[in-house]
Amino acid sequence: MKALTENGVTVNESVTPVPPTKRNSGFWKSVLQQKYLYLMSLPFVIWVFVFSYVPLWGWLMAFQNYKPIKSFRDQKWVGLKNFKELFHDERFYLVLRNTLAMSGLGLVFGFVVPIIFAVMLNELRGSVFKRTVQTISYLPHFVSWVVVGGIVYKTLAIDGGIVNDLLTHLHIIDEPIQFMAKAKMFWGVVTAADLWKETGWNAIIYLAAITGIDKELYEAAKVDGAGRIKQMFNITLPGIRTTITVLLIMSIGHLIGIGFEKQFQLSNNLVTDYSEVLDIYALKYGIQIGRFSYGTAISMFTSVVSVILLLTANGVMKKFTKESIM
């Protein structure tokens, strides 16, 4: 009961409390309305949980001197010994350099080139030619790195390799270059091979984002006298900015966890100091010689750094572009 005075007259006003709303009612209502969508996604959630979260208990091996013949309870706990050994190993820093160098080149070229390719492909007017180019460009994605490795070796061979033959024919070089035997060229070879294999496939998502741009924007730009170049910079690229931001954040998150397939297939004994990455290091100095705890420590380091990079990139993008993935 509340007393109000207006023009000398006292008026009693009753204040009725508003009942608190149920916070979860909206969520469960949405679940019931979209129950089939949630049921369809349930198998994928289970798959991620089983293969991505359940194995995390294995990280405990990094703090043990793990022996397969003993039960998990009987393992000897060694604390941070494996991590101390890892950070005191000079080979680790060499491998870390290779990983960051190749992932950095892959981030710069492997991220920018598909965007340029998608924008240029979108400018093609012939639908048949456009579909043909797009199909040819993403077919290498379905070729395994075993086959790609053989193609790269044959292409860069000093005897009959098309690259050396072309450079010699154009008088750019006097004698063939042993690309696969020069360690300092390995990073460039891997980056070029990855571009050839994945550019077309990575461009698909940008092409899909471009198709979602309102066509009336292009028509209005034409009326205002904007050419195709101005339309590209003022409509197409801003229209796919969100997609670019999200993929850039995810790419930065994978900066240190680049896998090992292409390096493993293209490497040889002459370029080991430039081809070995963290995953190969974990395989050679961990699993292959039975140091499972040491290999787990390497993989744990990679995962933790990847999460930190992802959160950092997401925070920076959210601050400066107001866009993020979480």
Side-chain angles (χ1 to χ4, degrees):
M1 193 70 74
K2 186 177 181 181
L4 299 178
T5 302
E6 184 176 358
N7 298 326
V9 179
T10 302
V11 180
N12 291 330
E13 181 181 356
S14 175
V15 179
T16 305
V18 179
T21 57
K22 295 181 179 179
R23 296 181 179 180
N24 296 328
S25 60
F27 171 75
W28 292 112
K29 184 178 180 180
S30 175
V31 170
L32 291 175
Q33 291 176 345
Q34 304 180 23
K35 54 182 177 296
Y36 296 112
L37 182 61
Y38 282 98
L39 287 174
M40 288 175 60
S41 62
L42 185 61
F44 300 100
V45 174
I46 295 174
W47 184 90
V48 170
F49 178 77
V50 171
F51 292 98
S52 298
Y53 289 96
V54 173
L56 288 179
W57 73 270
W59 278 9
L60 293 174
M61 292 169 53
F63 306 97
Q64 299 174 332
N65 184 18
Y66 183 78
K67 301 295 182 183
I69 59 175
K70 296 182 180 179
S71 66
F72 191 80
R73 294 181 178 179
D74 297 332
Q75 302 296 333
K76 180 181 178 181
W77 293 88
V78 295
L80 298 176
K81 177 184 177 182
N82 292 308
F83 292 96
K84 292 178 181 177
E85 185 176 350
L86 175 65
F87 295 133
H88 283 85
D89 186 3
E90 294 182 359
R91 188 73 184 177
F92 166 73
Y93 294 99
L94 178 66
V95 170
L96 183 61
R97 179 206 66 179
N98 297 338
T99 303
L100 293 175
M102 279 183 274
S103 60
L105 289 171
L107 179 64
V108 173
F109 294 100
F111 184 75
V112 175
V113 172
I115 297 175
I116 297 174
F117 179 73
V119 172
M120 294 179 65
L121 194 61
N122 181 66
E123 295 298 319
L124 294 177
R125 292 294 178 257
S127 59
V128 176
F129 180 69
K130 180 178 179 179
R131 288 197 298 267
T132 302
V133 172
Q134 185 177 356
T135 302
I136 294 174
S137 67
Y138 67 65
L139 281 178
H141 171 78
F142 299 100
V143 180
S144 70
W145 272 108
V146 177
V147 178
V148 173
I151 295 174
V152 171
Y153 267 95
K154 186 63 178 176
T155 303
L156 300 178
I158 59 175
D159 185 15
I162 186 174
V163 174
N164 275 309
D165 288 349
L166 182 62
L167 294 177
T168 304
H169 180 73
L170 296 176
H171 302 288
I172 297 176
I173 59 175
D174 296 327
E175 57 183 16
I177 301 175
Q178 295 181 343
F179 289 98
M180 304 307 296
K182 293 184 178 296
K184 293 184 179 180
M185 288 187 174
F186 184 81
W187 296 348
V189 171
V190 168
T191 303
D194 193 45
L195 278 178
W196 173 78
K197 188 176 185 298
E198 301 295 343
T199 294
W201 181 259
N202 292 336
I204 292 177
I205 191 168
Y206 298 112
L207 288 169
I210 290 173
T211 58
I213 300 175
D214 191 354
K215 302 301 179 184
E216 293 183 358
L217 295 175
Y218 292 99
E219 298 297 332
K222 289 179 182 178
V223 173
D224 291 338
R228 297 174 71 176
I229 300 297
K230 288 187 176 180
Q231 293 178 33
M232 210 184 299
F233 283 99
N234 295 298
I235 299 177
T236 305
L237 289 176
I240 61 174
R241 186 183 65 181
T242 300
T243 303
I244 293 174
T245 302
V246 170
L247 293 180
L248 177 60
I249 293 172
M250 296 178 66
S251 298
I252 293 175
H254 290 90
L255 198 61
I256 198 171
I258 60 174
F260 69 95
E261 294 87 352
K262 46 184 176 285
Q263 289 83 7
F264 188 80
Q265 295 298 328
L266 297 175
S267 179
N268 57 68
N269 292 332
L270 298 175
V271 298
T272 302
D273 288 343
Y274 283 81
S275 65
E276 205 169 81
V277 292
L278 282 171
D279 287 344
I280 297 178
Y281 179 72
L283 178 66
K284 290 175 63 175
Y285 298 95
I287 298 175
Q288 285 187 351
I289 59 178
R291 300 173 67 192
F292 300 104
S293 296
Y294 190 67
T296 304
I298 300 170
S299 299
M300 186 176 176
F301 168 81
T302 303
S303 300
V304 171
V305 173
S306 296
V307 172
I308 294 174
L309 288 173
L310 179 64
L311 295 176
T312 303
N314 184 76
V316 171
M317 289 296 179
K318 188 175 182 179
K319 181 178 180 180
F320 290 100
T321 66
K322 308 303 180 183
E323 296 175 355
S324 64
I325 61 175
M326 60 182 80

